[in-house]
Amino acid sequence: MRKLFRFIADLFLRPSVRIGLGVLVTGGFIAGVLSWQGFNTAMEATNKEEFCISCHTMHDNLLPELQKTVHWNNRSGVRARCPDCHVPHNFTDKVARKMQASREVWGHLVGTIGTREKFKEHRLVLAQREWARFSANGSKECRACHDYKDMDFDKMRPSSQVAMRSAAARDQSCVDCHKGVAHQLPEMKGARNPAFDTLVSNASGQSVSAGNEYYLVVPQDLFADEALTQRIGSVEVATQVKVLETKGDAQRIELALWRKNKGYGRVWYSNFGLNITSAILDKEMARDAGLVNVLASQEDPMTGLEWQQVKASAWMRKGSLIDSVEPIWTIARASYNTSCSVCHRQPDEAHFDTNTWPGLFAGMVGFTSIDQDTARVVLKYLQSHSSDFSTSQHGAGSPEGALQTARP
Amino acid sequence: MNYSRRGFLKAMGVMSGTALLAPGLLTARPAFAADEAPGVSEDITTWRISGSHFGAIRAKVVGDRVVDVRPFEYDKYPTEMIQGIVGLIYSSSRVRYPMVRLDWYRKRHLSDTTQRGDNRFVRVSWDEALDMFYEELERIQKDHGPWALHTGGVGWRSVGQMHSCGNHMVRGVGMHGRSVGTAGDYSTGAGQVILPYILGSTEVYSQGTSWEVILRESKLIVFWANDPIKNLQVGWNTETHEAYAYYEQLKEKVADKSIQVICLDPVRSKTQNYLAAEHQYVNPMTDVPLMLAIAHTLVKEDLYDKTFLDTYTLGFDRFLPYLEGKTEDQVEKTPEWAAAICGVPAERIRELARLMAKHRTQLIFGWAVQRQQHGEQPYWMGAVLAAMLGQIGLPGGGISYSHHYSSVGVSSSGAAMPGAYPLNVDAGRKPKHDNTDFKGYSSVVPIARVIDALLEPGKEIDFNGAKVKLPPYKMAIFSGCNQWHRQQQRNRMKEAWQKLETVVAIDYNWTATCRFADIVLPACTPFERNDIDAYGSYSNRGVIAMQKLIDPLYHSRSDFDIFRGLTRRFDRDAEYTRGMDEMQWVEKLYEDCRAENGLKDIAMPPFAEFWKKGYVLFPEGKSWVRHADFRDDAELNALGTPSGFIEIFSRKIERYGYADCKGHPVWMEKTERSHGGPGSDRHPLWLQSVHPDKRLHSQLCESEPLRSTYAIQGREPVFIGPQDAAARGIKHGDLVRVFNDRGQLLAGAHVSDNFPTGVVRIQEGAWYGPTGPEIGALDTYGDPNTVTLDIGSSSLAQATSANTCLVEIEKFIGVAPAVTAFGGPTEVDPDGRKVMAP
């Protein structure tokens, strides 16, 4: 073994005694040229559609999907090929992307995505990676062909104009809105709203510092330990939490909320007397004095129930916090305006009080196609923008407060 | 009188004209003739398909004429209402051309409004009509502001998600400027306001426990003032009639005595007759005393569920003293006390309480008891009773307020249904007149109080914990909405209408709302346009293609075209349509729905394939128990009440301080009540105006073939018991005058054993046909809202009190005036000379 090392060391370090320096340098140069050529040829070869679809995963899954879209077949005969969208066009990024691509090759070789079913199961992860890349580079590859500066907004449909002008003003990444333009969207069990994917990718890039307050972009499980093994409950989307510390993949947060002192007191609300669900503890944990610190008690005159101000800290997986709640409300507002005007005029948010919204929402949400997760966010949005929070003239149960339903 | 006689002659002319033009159509073969006429077996699956509130249909079209309509092959329990569709399309009442009321044509908004209702109209072109419409909108927004414009809340628009007429009106008018809207509806106005305080949801439109669960688990079912067999014929979207399969099973279970069914109602309903169930008579409007006495018995005999009350409810301790007579009224709510009011013997009340407590009991309420003065109370007390029985959330137990509606109780497939044409102005866009100044008036009025707003301008009324300042609007727009059917007390409406400067009505048939309008625009029927609809409002059974059967008749247009024309007048039509035409919209709504279902792994074919086949159906969903999640974990699945629990006592309502809706359910005497109540000495008969058996509200009344199956001497029937009829010398088939201090109408006596003494029925939706425009004129066809009472249910809901109504009936002697309700307007030229039909 030692001989082998010595041989290798000598080969590189001891000057040649038999071959001239010129020959060596020239040979090295030629070898370099050849390998560069090989590298380039390899780069080029792996950048061709033929290479992409040479593996059966791509060929069987993604190609047939792409072929159904306008990016494959259209009246003007311009076609987007795989690398046009999925490989960066400048050299450095391209090389970086190639390095990352080894992961996909690995997945292909070990069969992680070997069958249609496995691929469909794994597609969300793959898509989210690609969406995150587009989000980070502002959908640079899309914009090689579709750039804001070359768009004639006046030629668009009026509704498109509204959307596109404001997107252009913010230099928004195309894929923020245009997901699934060339392939089928990943199946999200429970039909999670794809609009949240952007928030999740934003949250993964959010820098978080201890002592500051943030908002959950998706619900998260809560744990007693930093290893995230002992689950004690969950925290709801759009809940405000204070970050205490971050260790590895875990984050310790502090919840300062309210609860009703009836039953276990396991549902925690954001404000005194207002039923805006913010966290849900497991039954046995809700009464654990070691976890829950009761700061104060107060009777709610509207119901006669005693409410307690409570505080607790818990661990959760990091990466789902953002520093502003507004992007969450933007998604909720859009969903509310669209889904709730199918049958009738949707009432203004501030036309009901916080505790009236759940009853009305529960009575009507069944007529919409809102998925369960989005429904929770929409309800929370409505409650958080109700007459209890609004400075407008509408009081609780104002006339606008009744359902403006188009039902019988 | 002269005008109306002329109107009648004209109407007769139109009718006979139509009959001559299309002799085969008005007498078209009944829809179910297929089964009875062997020999002619046609493959109806090759016919065009469409949807309706009365079910999905197949239509045979020959030479741009609908000649036959049959039920969609999937519909196992079709309603005979679809026999009315041909008559609806080819009705003598079709709005044929844009029409403008004579004096309005001459003087615009300064017209003599006492002439409104004389039915004299001038024909104009579409361009003239839309110009006038637009100029009026401009005038109102510029001279007054949004408080002066009222856009009537649309109810049962024709089905079809793309052409949903309310959406088109709200979007089209909304792009121009804001307007006064409405809150609530006429069907469930009191229920949908009270129940969120008590059970945490509107309940009236909620999915209910699945029928298979009820049939398996319930031992006692009480249909409380509820007639599902009658009402399930229609649905909010295209109706599947699937619920009838379960009623068939229930009928068997009643027969073999495995389920006891009690129909609690003053009248022996269609449901009770169909199921051969027990009938429990109760005096009209006295359900609350009966319920209080049942509750009293549950307490006295210790039959109520204290654990349930402790765990899941709040405030029983504040209700109990009232029950025991320890609060203000000092009356103990004993069965003996109740018996004297509600007419149910005390011992029978105790028996009912014991039955309910002993068995797994499902209470199923209809909507009729909340369409009365203090209509909040029976719904609230029903919930209290159900809470005391402790079965809420158990399979086959608890309370429902919706099982008579749109096949509630058929489990949902879980599929997403198509969205609709956008109702809102697009995000980021503003109306042309971006004015939000309502001058201190409320921008939304409780729907049943829109007449008060005209008669008592600026008045502040209570509503659901707030004050409403009634706006004296000057212009009103109704689209696909018959305000002159659903609102109460016609003569009061006439007085109010005289204060309006301009009324626009958009409809396909000449309803009384058109008659009392100034600009009338002819919409086409849903059978004259392409659309899609959800199949099954609760079962989400599928998506139905509404393939255009024929071209729009006369000069009628789709709502989409009408409002595109209006928005073009202020250069917003491209924005209005988003640059898409009818079929592009239909395809978009379908493909959006398909994409949503794709996420749920529910497959739908591409649009072209769907459109060709005409439907896509989804499999049965899982059965379900209402409130089971709440019962399972009341903290996690809290109700939408202020406390999250069932509120037997509502501190929130108590804090409003209303005399007519207090902190817990209370029995209150009515303004007028039969069977010994106030006013029964002068007008002894209680008039109930229930949902009709052979119409959807006022829809299909104008369909002559269908109307001829129930009308008596050409008039709407008034159902009356044999004793009341005999006492008045009235025989079945007689023409009678129904009257009180509010109005008078002619109707045909239908004597039926189903009706007890002191109870009569005229089904709502009968078209209003007064002899003339003057206040107090006799209604010639029999619209019950000629005599109903227009007061709010209470300060809480301000809902309609249609079922609080007493009348007297007499045999009509003499020459009866002809029916003026149908046949369209009297067409005149601008000088008022009658235009002869070509």
Side-chain angles (χ1 to χ4, degrees):
Chain A
M1 187 56 76
R2 189 175 291 170
K3 277 185 179 169
L4 182 66
F5 276 124
R6 168 60 51 94
F7 173 76
I8 293 168
D10 286 352
L11 183 65
F12 279 94
L13 299 176
R14 282 179 58 186
S16 169
V17 289
R18 297 209 182 101
I19 308 165
L21 187 62
V23 173
L24 276 179
V25 168
T26 311
F29 178 77
I30 291 168
V33 166
L34 286 176
S35 77
W36 177 245
Q37 183 59 37
F39 174 76
N40 261 351
T41 307
M43 277 295 265
E44 200 164 306
T46 58
N47 240 18
K48 283 202 172 128
E49 198 164 82
E50 291 73 24
F51 172 78
C52 302
I53 60 175
S54 68
C55 92
H56 69 89
T57 306
M58 294 289 168
H59 185 268
D60 297 349
N61 293 303
L62 294 159
L63 181 66
E65 294 173 11
L66 174 65
Q67 284 171 333
K68 286 181 197 156
T69 73
V70 73
H71 282 105
W72 180 273
N73 196 327
N74 51 59
R75 63 181 173 203
S76 41
V78 183
R79 185 196 293 175
R81 292 164 198 280
C82 311
D84 292 336
C85 305
H86 295 292
V87 182
H89 301 175
N90 77 54
F91 182 76
T92 323
D93 293 341
K94 189 189 288 189
V95 172
R97 180 71 189 90
K98 289 284 165 192
M99 303 295 281
Q100 289 166 1
S102 54
R103 188 152 57 167
E104 282 117 66
V105 176
W106 177 254
H108 169 68
L109 292 176
V110 301
T112 315
I113 49 177
T115 65
R116 174 75 177 160
E117 283 60 46
K118 280 184 177 176
F119 174 75
K120 278 168 81 176
E121 255 172 52
H122 208 65
R123 168 175 246 163
L124 179 60
V125 177
L126 298 172
Q128 277 173 330
R129 248 180 238 153
E130 197 59 0
W131 291 339
R133 190 179 66 80
F134 278 120
S135 178
N137 76 1
S139 298
K140 207 170 179 181
E141 289 75 40
C142 308
R143 287 163 70 173
C145 298
H146 311 268
D147 204 17
Y148 289 124
K149 65 179 167 40
D150 301 324
M151 289 179 189
D152 183 349
F153 296 103
D154 291 333
K155 285 189 178 156
M156 295 178 183
R157 287 175 185 162
S159 52
S160 309
Q161 285 185 31
V162 174
M164 291 309 297
R165 281 185 208 274
S166 78
R170 283 176 282 128
D171 197 28
Q172 196 172 359
S173 170
C174 311
V175 174
D176 280 1
C177 303
H178 300 273
K179 291 187 175 71
V181 287
H183 310 293
Q184 285 171 18
L185 283 168
E187 286 173 33
M188 284 166 273
K189 291 292 175 195
R192 200 161 63 78
N193 189 336
F196 281 99
D197 292 319
T198 306
L199 284 191
V200 172
S201 68
N202 288 352
S204 60
Q206 171 77 46
S207 71
V208 168
S209 44
N212 287 347
E213 306 212 303
Y214 300 90
Y215 302 86
L216 274 290
V217 294
V218 283
Q220 282 290 315
D221 283 343
L222 294 174
F223 298 89
D225 57 331
E226 61 178 276
L228 309 179
T229 55
Q230 303 166 48
R231 189 186 180 279
I232 56 171
S234 61
V235 56
E236 287 289 292
V237 61
T239 297
Q240 188 179 26
V241 297
K242 185 200 237 176
V243 171
L244 299 177
E245 57 181 316
T246 304
K247 279 191 183 173
D249 264 356
Q251 221 151 31
R252 194 159 70 90
I253 55 159
E254 182 180 79
L255 299 163
L257 299 162
W258 289 83
R259 72 177 182 186
K260 297 168 193 168
N261 192 16
K262 182 170 163 116
Y264 294 97
R266 51 191 294 236
V267 179
W268 290 19
Y269 305 97
S270 61
N271 301 62
F272 168 72
L274 302 181
N275 298 329
I276 305 176
T277 303
S278 296
I280 299 162
L281 296 192
D282 293 347
K283 283 180 185 170
E284 54 278 13
M285 301 314 299
R287 288 293 168 192
D288 184 340
L291 174 73
V292 180
N293 186 8
V294 177
L295 303 177
S297 282
Q298 205 175 326
E299 191 195 275
D300 171 26
M302 221 44 127
T303 59
L305 290 176
E306 183 198 330
W307 282 62
Q308 295 178 328
Q309 190 176 14
V310 283
K311 202 178 236 188
S313 73
W315 290 91
M316 63 173 212
R317 192 170 299 282
K318 74 170 190 188
S320 49
L321 296 175
I322 50 173
D323 57 6
S324 161
V325 73
E326 269 317 306
I328 301 173
W329 294 154
T330 303
I331 294 172
R333 188 181 298 119
S335 181
Y336 173 64
N337 285 343
T338 310
S339 300
C340 298
S341 66
V342 167
C343 304
H344 56 80
R345 303 178 220 211
Q346 77 282 17
D348 271 5
E349 295 85 344
H351 290 160
F352 292 115
D353 66 29
T354 301
N355 291 353
T356 299
W357 263 120
L360 295 168
F361 193 74
M364 302 307 284
V365 71
F367 297 111
T368 69
S369 319
I370 303 181
D371 64 89
Q372 275 190 2
D373 287 345
T374 309
R376 278 152 76 181
V377 186
V378 172
L379 176 59
K380 195 162 187 177
Y381 160 76
L382 294 169
Q383 290 185 289
S384 304
H385 295 77
S386 75
S387 57
D388 291 314
F389 295 93
S390 162
T391 49
S392 83
Q393 55 179 338
H394 306 298
S398 74
E400 292 82 354
L403 270 185
Q404 295 180 61
T405 161
R407 292 258 144 195
Chain B
M1 271 311 274
N2 269 341
Y3 288 134
S4 64
R5 189 170 307 138
R6 232 187 281 158
F8 170 70
L9 290 172
K10 163 75 169 125
M12 287 306 292
V14 170
M15 270 190 258
S16 50
T18 311
L20 282 174
L21 281 171
L25 298 176
L26 298 180
T27 53
R29 219 147 35 90
F32 303 116
D35 301 335
E36 300 143 20
V40 196
S41 72
E42 292 195 66
D43 179 12
I44 64 163
T45 62
T46 62
W47 294 7
R48 263 173 250 185
I49 192 168
S50 189
S52 76
H53 291 298
F54 336 112
I57 57 157
R58 292 282 187 179
K60 185 176 183 179
V61 180
V62 177
D64 202 32
R65 275 181 194 286
V66 181
V67 297
D68 200 356
V69 169
R70 308 266 183 95
F72 174 43
E73 53 273 18
Y74 178 84
D75 192 342
K76 298 290 178 283
Y77 303 88
T79 161
E80 63 175 316
M81 286 187 201
I82 63 168
Q83 290 180 43
I85 288 177
V86 173
L88 183 100
I89 298 170
Y90 300 104
S91 169
S92 66
S93 304
R94 277 298 290 257
V95 183
R96 298 168 177 222
Y97 311 104
M99 302 293 270
V100 177
R101 185 170 64 83
L102 175 60
D103 206 54
W104 198 94
Y105 184 87
R106 291 167 171 163
K107 304 183 195 131
R108 293 268 178 131
H109 65 279
L110 302 173
S111 76
D112 173 7
T113 57
T114 64
Q115 290 181 24
R116 241 191 226 117
D118 73 6
N119 217 16
R120 290 187 301 165
F121 282 79
V122 177
R123 179 177 161 181
V124 297
S125 71
W126 265 110
D127 273 343
E128 280 176 279
L130 287 175
D131 284 345
M132 286 173 181
F133 188 0
Y134 171 61
E135 285 157 19
E136 277 302 284
L137 290 175
E138 281 286 295
R139 180 182 70 80
I140 289 288
Q141 295 291 355
K142 280 183 183 158
D143 293 0
H144 306 290
W147 63 269
L149 178 66
H150 170 49
T151 42
V154 177
W156 285 79
R157 82 286 179 267
S158 298
V159 303
Q161 294 294 86
M162 149 64 191
H163 288 286
S164 189
C165 62
N167 291 26
H168 287 280
M169 174 187 72
V170 172
R171 181 175 171 85
V173 174
M175 282 182 169
H176 183 267
R178 293 181 176 80
S179 60
V180 173
T182 57
D185 60 46
Y186 287 86
S187 292
T188 67
Q192 64 174 257
V193 173
I194 186 71
L195 289 176
Y197 291 96
I198 315 307
L199 290 172
S201 158
T202 52
E203 296 291 319
V204 289
Y205 301 131
S206 300
Q207 175 64 297
T209 301
S210 303
W211 267 111
E212 58 256 42
V213 175
I214 296 177
L215 291 172
R216 195 175 60 230
E217 304 285 345
S218 302
K219 287 287 163 280
L220 172 64
I221 299 173
V222 181
F223 288 107
W224 203 301
N226 195 351
D227 200 352
I229 295 294
K230 166 168 67 68
N231 293 329
L232 286 167
Q233 294 177 84
V234 298
W236 178 248
N237 297 100
T238 294
E239 178 52 44
T240 62
H241 303 118
E242 291 164 286
Y244 283 105
Y246 298 103
Y247 284 89
E248 226 169 42
Q249 294 177 41
L250 181 58
K251 185 181 169 73
E252 287 167 20
K253 287 179 183 288
V254 170
D256 71 20
K257 298 198 181 340
S258 55
I259 295 181
Q260 185 179 3
V261 173
I262 300 175
C263 290
L264 206 151
D265 202 308
V267 172
R268 292 218 303 264
S269 65
K270 193 175 183 183
T271 303
Q272 188 244 320
N273 281 306
Y274 170 80
L275 295 173
E278 279 175 55
H279 177 227
Q280 177 55 58
Y281 170 83
V282 58
N283 280 339
M285 295 192 281
T286 62
D287 306 79
V288 171
L290 173 58
M291 286 188 249
L292 286 168
I294 292 172
H296 185 272
T297 304
L298 292 176
V299 171
K300 287 298 149 197
E301 302 188 5
D302 200 22
L303 296 171
Y304 70 112
D305 189 336
K306 287 175 231 38
T307 313
F308 184 88
L309 292 180
D310 283 347
T311 316
Y312 298 104
T313 76
L314 290 181
F316 184 69
D317 55 327
R318 297 193 63 184
F319 169 68
L320 191 58
Y322 171 72
L323 206 59
E324 293 173 327
K326 292 176 184 159
T327 52
E328 46 200 298
D329 67 351
Q330 295 292 310
V331 176
E332 193 172 354
K333 310 302 178 299
T334 62
E336 284 71 19
W337 163 81
I341 302 168
C342 71
V344 182
E347 201 39 47
R348 175 62 176 164
I349 296 177
R350 292 196 175 87
E351 198 185 322
L352 286 170
R354 289 170 203 145
L355 269 177
M356 290 179 190
K358 185 178 171 193
H359 297 299
R360 181 61 58 86
T361 301
Q362 177 75 56
L363 303 174
I364 304 182
F365 277 66
W367 294 342
V369 285
Q370 52 88 57
R371 296 183 84 240
Q372 58 174 258
Q373 192 182 15
H374 315 132
E376 298 86 354
Q377 305 301 317
Y379 265 31
W380 193 346
M381 190 55 215
V384 172
L385 207 52
M388 291 174 74
L389 293 170
Q391 300 184 17
I392 292 173
L394 288 182
I399 189 161
S400 155
Y401 300 88
S402 60
H403 271 88
H404 60 289
Y405 176 63
S406 296
S407 284
V408 158
V410 177
S411 55
S412 168
S413 69
M417 292 291 104
Y421 194 79
L423 174 144
N424 294 316
V425 176
D426 291 337
R429 303 288 298 168
K430 299 276 184 203
K432 180 184 179 203
H433 297 275
D434 189 16
N435 180 1
T436 53
D437 183 7
F438 281 78
K439 297 275 185 245
Y441 296 116
S442 296
S443 60
V444 173
V445 177
I447 197 161
R449 307 271 57 84
V450 290
I451 297 302
D452 292 1
L454 294 170
L455 293 175
E456 299 170 280
K459 184 182 174 184
E460 286 211 347
I461 62 168
D462 288 312
F463 176 50
N464 203 13
K467 294 281 182 195
V468 169
K469 191 173 182 192
L470 296 173
Y473 52 93
K474 294 171 181 294
M475 174 175 176
I477 306 168
F478 299 95
S479 181
C481 160
N482 192 358
Q483 180 69 7
W484 282 74
H485 126 69
R486 62 185 187 176
Q487 173 69 26
Q488 285 56 57
Q489 213 171 331
R490 291 287 166 267
N491 289 310
R492 194 165 184 265
M493 284 184 79
K494 271 188 179 171
E495 189 189 337
W497 235 241
Q498 292 177 1
K499 299 181 187 300
L500 281 168
E501 292 175 352
T502 301
V503 182
V504 178
I506 305 166
D507 216 318
Y508 56 78
N509 279 330
W510 196 267
T511 62
T513 303
C514 297
R515 183 196 194 104
F516 282 86
D518 302 311
I519 301 172
V520 181
L521 304 177
C524 63
T525 70
F527 309 106
E528 296 157 12
R529 62 200 192 191
N530 292 302
D531 211 325
I532 53 169
D533 199 31
Y535 190 43
S537 296
Y538 292 84
S539 65
N540 292 13
R541 179 62 57 237
V543 181
I544 286 278
M546 294 178 66
Q547 299 162 346
K548 184 162 109 172
L549 304 184
I550 53 167
D551 280 339
L553 289 188
Y554 311 109
H555 283 195
S556 65
R557 289 181 181 177
S558 70
D559 297 89
F560 176 68
D561 282 339
I562 294 170
F563 282 96
R564 178 164 55 181
L566 180 74
T567 50
R568 188 180 303 136
R569 281 160 170 78
F570 48 100
D571 206 22
R572 298 276 287 262
D573 52 324
E575 177 190 339
Y576 181 78
T577 63
R578 294 188 186 166
M580 289 190 277
D581 65 16
E582 180 191 62
M583 277 316 284
Q584 285 171 326
W585 268 106
V586 172
E587 181 168 350
K588 174 190 157 52
L589 294 179
Y590 178 85
E591 287 296 342
D592 287 354
C593 173
R594 180 170 167 239
E596 252 176 283
N597 280 323
L599 293 175
K600 300 182 184 185
D601 252 351
I602 297 174
M604 290 170 75
F607 178 72
E609 198 182 309
F610 157 79
W611 189 254
K612 191 157 168 257
K613 187 179 179 199
Y615 60 91
V616 50
L617 300 179
F618 305 116
E620 296 268 324
K622 281 196 221 93
S623 64
W624 183 79
V625 176
R626 180 143 196 88
H627 294 312
D629 59 340
F630 168 66
R631 192 179 183 105
D632 177 51
D633 191 331
E635 276 185 79
L636 209 52
N637 306 308
L639 299 179
T641 56
S643 63
F645 299 92
I646 297 169
E647 298 206 359
I648 291 172
F649 189 97
S650 169
R651 290 186 179 216
K652 198 167 171 183
I653 293 178
E654 183 198 30
R655 284 159 69 113
Y656 296 157
Y658 298 150
D660 51 7
C661 193
K662 299 184 177 191
H664 59 76
V666 168
W667 160 244
M668 285 170 277
E669 187 53 276
K670 313 298 169 212
T671 302
E672 54 190 61
R673 185 172 66 79
S674 60
H675 299 84
S680 60
D681 47 339
R682 286 188 63 225
H683 301 109
L685 304 172
W686 175 60
L687 174 71
Q688 53 163 227
S689 44
V690 300
H691 186 272
D693 189 27
K694 296 194 179 189
R695 291 189 295 261
L696 165 57
H697 297 307
S698 70
Q699 294 179 44
L700 293 173
C701 190
E702 72 274 43
S703 178
E704 284 150 63
L706 189 61
R707 194 170 73 241
S708 68
T709 65
Y710 58 83
I712 290 176
Q713 292 201 36
R715 324 281 162 154
E716 182 71 11
V718 55
F719 295 87
I720 185 169
Q723 279 183 309
D724 283 331
R728 289 162 179 78
I730 295 168
K731 291 190 298 295
H732 183 83
D734 279 351
L735 208 55
V736 296
R737 190 174 74 100
V738 180
F739 62 95
N740 58 21
D741 295 340
R742 296 183 287 272
Q744 51 171 345
L745 61 90
L746 287 184
H750 186 126
V751 180
S752 162
D753 287 337
N754 289 330
F755 291 81
T757 311
V759 175
V760 298
R761 164 186 294 184
I762 303 179
Q763 298 173 347
E764 45 93 348
W767 278 30
Y768 181 56
T771 51
E774 63 282 359
I775 290 165
L778 179 72
D779 170 29
T780 60
Y781 179 69
D783 172 6
N785 281 324
T786 308
V787 290
T788 51
L789 174 63
D790 180 17
I791 57 167
S793 57
S794 80
S795 308
L796 188 82
Q798 293 289 4
T800 179
S801 301
N803 282 333
T804 298
C805 176
L806 296 187
V807 297
E808 181 53 291
I809 298 184
E810 63 181 24
K811 189 169 169 172
F812 183 81
I813 312 285
V815 181
V819 174
T820 71
F822 311 103
T826 306
E827 190 182 330
V828 295
D829 67 18
D831 299 321
R833 283 188 299 264
K834 203 179 148 198
V835 175
M836 297 306 292

